[in-house]
Amino acid sequence: MGKYLLVGASSGLGRLCASKFVERGDEVYVIAREKKKDTPGHFFRCDLSDLKSVNENIKQISCKIGPLTGACFFQRLRDKNKEESTLDELAVSVLSTEVILKNILHNLDNEIDHPFVFVSSVNSRYVSTEMTLGYHISKAGLDILAKYFAAKFGSEFARFNTVNPGTFIKPERADWYETNRSELTRLSNFLPRKKMNTADNISDLILFLTDQKSIGIN
């Protein structure tokens, strides 16, 4: 159906989305620092904290795969040694996204819809003391980045949305929640419907936002 770049999609929610894109019939290209054995689609290795490397890699990737239909961005800082660095958080989450977009947006087909989705967080607006300052700032930056690029490139059939989930059950944590039902109940009680979202719920929303049925949402 389409050709999509998925950034930071070698694990968790990103990997689940990549699998669903493949099932939908899309051509999928994954950029991440490490390849897992079950990473779907075509894989390109890239350290997203090194912006010079990101710029060089995305140019090579763009030449190799040609024009894209769209892209989804899942990346966040994973290096525990850098978790207190706001600059590193911004480089991985926001600045690398900007570099990638600037390299691919000049090569769009102006006759088809080009959806782009950023996975942000409720922490773009609300503070959680369990997360770093850099995490909050980078998620807020993604929200602004989406609005800016939507205004700047909307006339070129590019549309931008952010998905801002709160706590949800990630694939790799599902078994933990099954054996810690009291914690699941505690977290669920903060939500209006008293039930936590799963990665499947979030991934289905992302797939909808990259579908022609959501063409009016930006």
Side-chain angles (χ1 to χ4, degrees):
M1 292 179 63
K3 187 188 296 184
Y4 288 90
L5 182 69
L6 274 63
V7 182
S10 62
S11 62
L13 176 63
R15 182 172 60 198
L16 177 60
C17 283
S19 296
K20 291 188 175 185
F21 274 69
V22 171
E23 290 172 6
R24 190 172 68 177
D26 295 316
E27 194 174 340
V28 172
Y29 297 87
V30 173
I31 294 179
R33 186 170 62 176
E34 297 179 359
K35 181 181 182 180
K36 307 296 174 64
K37 63 180 180 179
D38 54 351
T39 301
H42 307 277
F43 180 80
F44 294 95
R45 190 181 309 278
C46 183
D47 181 356
L48 297 170
S49 66
D50 183 346
L51 298 181
K52 182 179 179 180
S53 175
V54 172
N55 189 53
E56 293 171 353
N57 273 278
I58 194 61
K59 285 181 179 179
Q60 294 175 9
I61 293 168
S62 295
C63 290
K64 185 172 183 178
I65 66 179
L68 292 163
T69 304
C72 298
F73 297 83
F74 301 89
Q75 75 271 27
R76 61 163 294 193
L77 185 67
R78 301 292 182 184
D79 189 340
K80 296 300 181 182
N81 295 322
K82 296 181 179 180
E83 65 181 0
E84 296 301 327
S85 171
T86 298
L87 290 178
D88 287 322
E89 295 265 14
L90 283 170
V92 171
S93 293
V94 180
L95 300 180
S96 67
T97 299
E98 179 188 13
V99 169
I100 291 169
L101 286 172
K102 285 183 174 179
N103 275 284
I104 63 178
L105 286 173
H106 71 279
N107 195 23
L108 299 180
D109 181 348
N110 287 355
E111 295 184 359
I112 65 171
D113 178 53
H114 295 282
F116 296 88
V117 177
F118 304 157
V119 177
S120 182
S121 165
V122 294
N123 292 126
S124 66
R125 295 189 179 186
Y126 304 104
V127 172
S128 169
T129 55
E130 296 177 357
M131 307 305 293
T132 65
L133 174 63
Y135 180 83
H136 287 80
I137 293 173
S138 63
K139 294 306 181 184
L142 285 177
D143 286 357
I144 293 298
L145 196 68
K147 292 177 182 179
Y148 177 83
F149 276 95
K152 188 174 180 64
F153 293 98
S155 61
E156 298 181 30
F157 293 84
R159 58 187 173 90
F160 296 81
N161 287 286
T162 60
V163 173
N164 298 59
T167 301
F168 64 92
I169 301 175
K170 300 177 177 64
E172 61 271 23
R173 296 280 285 172
D175 290 342
W176 186 89
Y177 280 108
E178 280 298 317
T179 58
N180 292 270
R181 303 294 296 183
S182 60
E183 180 65 7
L184 178 62
T185 300
R186 185 186 73 83
L187 292 171
S188 298
N189 283 334
F190 288 104
L191 305 172
R193 63 190 188 104
K194 307 301 179 186
K195 185 176 180 180
M196 279 183 65
N197 280 319
T198 66
D200 268 316
N201 301 140
I202 309 302
S203 62
D204 285 345
L205 173 58
I206 292 170
L207 258 71
F208 171 71
L209 289 173
T210 59
D211 189 90
Q212 291 296 306
K213 294 178 181 178
S214 65
I215 196 168
I217 301 176
N218 192 9

